[in-house]
Amino acid sequence: MFEQLSGRMSKVFEGLSRGERLSEGDVTEAMREVRLAMLEADVALPVVRSFVSKVKERAVGGEVLDGVSPGQAVAKIVNDALIEALGGAGAVPLNLSAPAPIPYLLVGLQGAGKTTTAGKLALRLASRERKKVLLASLDVQRPAAQLQLQQIAEQVGGRTDGLVTSLPIEQGQGPVEIARRALDAGRREGFDIVILDTAGRLAIDEALMDEVRQVRDVAKPVETLLVVDAMTGQDAVNTAQSFKDQIGLTGVIMSRMDGDARGGAALSMKAVTGEPIKFTGSGEKMEALEEFHPERVAGRILGLGDVAGLVEKASEQLDQEEGERVAKRMLAGKFDLNDYVSQINQINRLGSISGILGMLPGMGKLKDKLAGKDLDTSIFNRHKAIISSMTAQERSAPEIIKASRKKRIALGSGTSVPEVNRLLKQFSEMSTMMKRLNKMGGLSGLMRGMGGAGGLGDMFKGMGGPGGRPPFG
């Protein structure tokens, strides 16, 4: 979402001249480019004006420390101002200290992703906080909306040992009656949290606001969270302002942050509405809900990466036991194609390679250079197809694979003999490198440094391909 803005910002800082002090001319020119970049990113004009004014005031005449370029000095000031504009350092947590059952009210327009977000939020609360969560759909407008939430609750409940369930559907009840029934069930059945998923409309109207106000007055929610679609740009900010003025909000959840919108809504939300972004959704999977950390977003915009976010994501998504098993085989020099498939599965859990690169410092330029290349995980899927077409003996001992076997494997996997050759060659190079490292004592150190992640550091170094080769070309 922030790639275009990030690219423009990087060019601005590189263009600053060298010197011991930041001249007004340099800063004015840089801020002109920053202003254009932010306007192109669909940031609200008042927010842009305030942001540029703050940065310029702090930057003009500022001394440049030894070993720090003017571009880096301005980047630090811009980074601080971005964090401030996004809501200040640190994620804003949900209120979990109120007496149970704690009511959370989800509001928003139709199509913003409220129902899916309700399931994501329930999964997060159940798996991380071990809270017992009741989901209740108050949407009697959209066909099958209540059934959709019921199915999501069943899916999430199966993954959390039954900590998440949905309120039984009773036909003929209105939103207020359903809300009362949900809160009553929450008290009687010992739920920690009740999430009320309200109905949406295609646009804000008085009927929608009246309905939400009535539910709010009955439920007295501890959290009123607005779900907005980040793809709608400044309309998301306008929607948030309307709900804040008429209903009252405690926070915002931005869905579809993995889209190709320009990011202006996220940069404008806090400044315009005064309400913090608490979570962002970036996919349809139930676990695709992340806390919003302004300092991490600012770092990604300025090309500083988000290493903390990557580590957090890895700790959540990776199978540590499987990683340790593969690590031990690596140390013993027994790494085979079965273990390589295990590594592929681990990497796939982290998402696309381009997404991973975006979280690593200084990788913005590399992503630009690799634009148009196959920078996703489809190459891994082809590798898995090739390996799946091998016999158990071939996977354990790839050296026995000769011409006739390669033809059979290529035919069975829907690939070509050159692709099979390339995989085998890269795997051979990777195995050789591991053996050399092991003899030098380097591989065991690498495994300890990775916390037993099973060689993923090696894989990332080559962006997924064995032997340090990129997974394309």
Side-chain angles (χ1 to χ4, degrees):
M1 172 167 281
F2 298 107
E3 282 182 11
Q4 182 181 353
L5 180 60
S6 179
R8 287 290 299 270
M9 289 285 197
S10 297
K11 291 177 182 176
V12 169
F13 304 137
E14 288 172 1
L16 287 170
S17 60
R18 293 193 170 277
E20 294 181 359
R21 281 184 174 272
L22 292 168
S23 71
E24 186 170 356
D26 281 343
V27 174
T28 299
E29 178 62 24
M31 287 305 98
R32 189 181 76 84
E33 292 300 320
V34 167
R35 184 175 185 273
L36 289 173
M38 293 182 77
L39 289 173
E40 285 181 6
D42 199 26
V43 181
L45 183 57
V47 177
V48 176
R49 285 175 175 162
S50 173
F51 180 86
V52 169
S53 175
K54 286 179 182 176
V55 173
K56 191 172 181 179
E57 183 181 326
R58 297 173 189 175
V60 172
E63 292 188 4
V64 179
L65 300 175
D66 289 341
V68 178
S69 69
Q72 290 169 331
V74 173
K76 172 66 169 68
I77 296 169
V78 170
N79 181 60
D80 292 344
L82 274 175
I83 293 172
E84 189 179 322
L86 288 165
V92 180
L94 292 171
N95 185 344
L96 296 172
S97 59
I102 305 173
Y104 289 172
L105 187 65
L106 296 190
V107 300
L109 296 182
Q110 189 172 312
K114 287 192 306 301
T115 303
T116 303
T117 300
K120 292 179 178 180
L121 192 58
L123 175 62
R124 186 180 186 90
L125 290 166
S127 58
R128 296 194 178 200
E129 307 291 340
R130 302 308 296 171
K131 298 295 184 182
K132 188 178 179 183
V133 183
L134 177 65
L135 290 169
S137 174
L138 313 187
D139 190 349
V140 295
Q141 303 287 331
R142 185 166 57 92
Q146 292 179 311
L147 184 60
Q148 181 191 359
L149 188 63
Q150 184 183 66
Q151 292 172 342
I152 288 174
E154 289 173 359
Q155 177 188 343
V156 175
R159 297 171 57 179
T160 57
D161 299 324
L163 284 176
V164 177
T165 56
S166 64
L167 185 72
I169 298 171
E170 289 187 12
Q171 300 299 330
Q173 287 191 329
V176 173
E177 288 77 18
I178 297 172
R180 284 199 181 101
R181 185 160 59 90
L183 292 170
D184 183 54
R187 283 188 287 268
R188 285 187 293 102
E189 299 175 29
F191 283 92
D192 299 305
I193 295 167
V194 176
I195 298 177
L196 303 172
D197 177 26
T198 62
R201 299 284 194 282
L202 293 176
I204 291 174
D205 57 31
E206 195 55 38
L208 168 65
M209 291 303 183
D210 278 343
E211 182 180 295
V212 175
R213 271 193 290 266
Q214 290 173 28
V215 172
R216 177 202 63 190
D217 293 342
V218 168
K220 295 180 174 53
V222 171
E223 294 275 4
T224 302
L225 301 169
L226 173 70
V227 182
V228 292
D229 184 350
M231 298 284 285
T232 60
Q234 284 305 306
D235 281 344
V237 180
N238 297 333
T239 298
Q241 189 64 56
S242 297
F243 272 94
K244 181 195 174 184
D245 293 341
Q246 299 188 54
I247 305 298
L249 300 173
T250 58
V252 176
I253 299 176
M254 297 198 76
S255 63
R256 298 190 178 95
M257 285 288 282
D258 54 335
D260 57 1
R262 291 167 289 178
L267 282 166
S268 305
M269 188 65 71
K270 173 66 176 179
V272 173
T273 68
E275 300 303 331
I277 300 172
K278 293 199 172 185
F279 295 98
T280 60
S282 53
E284 289 299 315
K285 293 182 178 179
M286 284 295 111
E287 55 273 0
L289 186 72
E290 301 173 356
E291 283 186 324
F292 184 78
H293 291 265
E295 67 279 13
R296 296 182 185 180
V297 174
R300 294 178 74 171
I301 291 174
L302 298 179
L304 305 176
D306 179 11
V307 175
L310 181 58
V311 170
E312 190 177 281
K313 189 174 184 180
S315 66
E316 292 173 5
Q317 299 294 332
L318 299 185
D319 185 337
Q320 295 297 324
E321 288 184 8
E322 178 63 11
E324 288 173 8
R325 183 193 69 79
V326 174
K328 289 176 182 175
R329 287 181 58 81
M330 282 181 169
L331 292 172
K334 296 178 180 179
F335 188 79
D336 61 20
L337 287 170
N338 291 310
D339 300 317
Y340 176 49
V341 169
S342 174
Q343 294 291 277
I344 291 174
N345 292 334
Q346 293 272 53
I347 291 174
N348 281 340
R349 288 189 179 120
L350 292 178
S352 68
I353 298 301
S354 56
I356 294 169
L357 281 179
M359 300 177 84
L360 294 174
M363 286 295 181
K365 290 182 181 178
L366 179 59
K367 282 180 69 177
D368 292 339
K369 289 178 182 178
L370 298 173
K373 300 284 187 180
D374 184 14
L375 243 191
D376 60 16
T377 54
S378 63
I379 184 67
F380 296 146
N381 293 330
R382 289 202 296 276
H383 283 182
K384 285 176 70 175
I386 291 170
I387 295 169
S388 296
S389 296
M390 297 178 185
T391 65
Q393 185 184 15
E394 289 167 344
R395 289 195 292 271
S396 300
E399 62 275 7
I400 69 172
I401 301 175
K402 305 303 180 186
S404 61
R405 290 178 184 257
K406 290 175 183 177
K407 288 180 182 178
R408 190 202 78 244
I409 292 167
L411 187 63
S413 60
T415 57
S416 63
V417 171
E419 282 185 279
V420 176
N421 284 333
R422 191 178 302 124
L423 168 61
L424 293 173
K425 182 180 178 184
Q426 291 176 343
F427 179 78
S428 174
E429 290 174 353
M430 184 181 184
S431 298
T432 301
M433 180 182 65
M434 286 180 184
K435 289 174 182 175
R436 287 176 183 167
L437 276 172
N438 203 18
K439 287 180 181 178
M440 295 165 60
L443 188 57
S444 57
L446 177 64
M447 290 298 101
R448 286 193 298 272
M450 286 296 290
L456 280 172
D458 217 35
M459 308 290 269
F460 285 138
K461 195 172 182 180
M463 287 180 292
R469 292 171 178 261
F472 45 78

